[in-house]
Amino acid sequence: MEVLSMKLIVGLGNPGNEYQNTRHNMGFMVIDKILDELKLNFTKNKHKGVYVQTKIKGEDVIILKPLTYMNLSGGVVNSFVKFTCVCFAIVVVLRVA
């Protein structure tokens, strides 16, 4: 069985209008900016998150936005990694400190 290796970029935030454009959604805003720059949209919705798979400079990348509150996003990422059966070479998580 061949093991695929990709990069995973995850932007954390909180759902709801009360968090829109606040520091709590900085991860969401960065992901949205990346998608804007790459002229991409989320194409799939699974495991309480939206994502798109693409190539950036020849590298396979998945960009994921969990649709749960930030403190529950680890479960979304865990489910997503199990679902994809992919070995992620690099995982980048964007969040506010």
Side-chain angles (χ1 to χ4, degrees):
M1 180 170 120
E2 180 183 352
V3 176
L4 300 176
S5 180
M6 354 179 101
K7 304 333 186 243
L8 174 63
I9 302 172
V10 183
L12 303 186
N14 288 318
N17 290 334
E18 67 269 26
Y19 295 104
Q20 193 171 11
N21 298 319
T22 68
R23 66 181 183 88
H24 300 285
N25 276 5
M26 191 61 64
F28 280 5
M29 289 186 263
V30 171
I31 291 293
D32 291 342
K33 181 68 174 168
I34 291 170
L35 292 181
D36 253 9
E37 292 289 321
L38 297 173
K39 296 179 180 17
L40 294 171
N41 293 303
F42 291 111
T43 57
K44 298 181 176 113
N45 184 338
K46 286 197 187 297
H47 304 283
K48 298 182 182 175
V50 290
Y51 69 99
V52 62
Q53 185 172 339
T54 190
K55 283 194 180 281
I56 300 175
K57 295 187 178 183
E59 298 281 340
D60 291 316
V61 177
I62 293 177
I63 302 171
L64 171 66
K65 186 192 283 189
L67 298 177
T68 60
Y69 286 96
M70 201 178 294
N71 59 332
L72 300 174
S73 59
V76 175
V77 174
N78 185 44
S79 293
F80 186 81
V81 169
K82 286 179 181 177
F83 161 74
T84 59
C85 297
V86 172
C87 173
F88 289 100
I90 297 175
V91 177
V92 178
V93 178
L94 309 168
R95 65 167 182 89
V96 69

